[in-house]
Amino acid sequence: MKKQLLTLSMTVVLALTSLPAISSQAKTTPVKHLPTSITKKTWYRKTSGSEGGFNDKTVFHGNTMRMTFSYGGNADWKLTKLRKSSAKVYYATLHYSKKYSSPVKIKIRSHKKFDIIEKHGVNSRGNYAGNENYGAMIFSTNKKPNVID
């Protein structure tokens, strides 16, 4: 009886230690910068489906986004803790100012468009639940106002 109990307990221990770790986090790899297909272009911030129109010119300098607002004025948004999840998905912390920052997901749609999605967006359930219809900041190379490629 003791031998069977010992064999059973060893089998359970081996089975549990051989299981992969269960994690709700996506596997990510730290990186220094976004790909050059993003950082070497001039972008224009468009709308998500629920917001009014923007047409803010955005230029990257390393991991800093220089925003030139359509109504006048400038701002620098900084990306820190940049991590790559896949070829088209990055995670980072976006610093809007010295006091306000938010975890974001950067989803590259094509060579002409990418989205920045905040982690707990307003009126959305789940992490990074925004999309191009609601909650995502859409950046496009098209200069025309309110035209989304």
Side-chain angles (χ1 to χ4, degrees), residues 13-81:
V13 168
L14 287 173
L16 291 177
T17 57
S18 65
L19 289 175
I22 299 171
S23 173
S24 61
Q25 297 288 329
K27 288 193 174 196
T28 58
T29 305
V31 292
K32 292 185 179 192
H33 301 288
L34 288 171
T36 56
S37 61
I38 299 292
T39 59
K40 297 294 182 187
K41 294 180 182 169
T42 299
W43 296 93
Y44 296 91
R45 182 171 64 142
K46 305 300 179 181
T47 68
S48 69
S50 65
E51 298 170 330
F54 301 117
N55 199 33
D56 304 334
K57 181 179 176 182
T58 306
V59 178
F60 281 88
H61 299 283
N63 285 341
T64 301
M65 300 166 54
R66 178 78 171 178
M67 308 284 289
T68 303
F69 299 116
S70 56
Y71 55 81
N74 297 318
D76 288 336
W77 292 359
K78 293 179 179 55
L79 293 169
T80 60
K81 301 179 186 174

Side-chain angles (χ1 to χ4, degrees), residues 116-128:
I116 294 181
I117 305 165
E118 282 192 8
K119 193 172 179 170
H120 300 292
V122 178
N123 297 326
S124 63
R125 292 184 180 188
N127 295 336
Y128 308 106

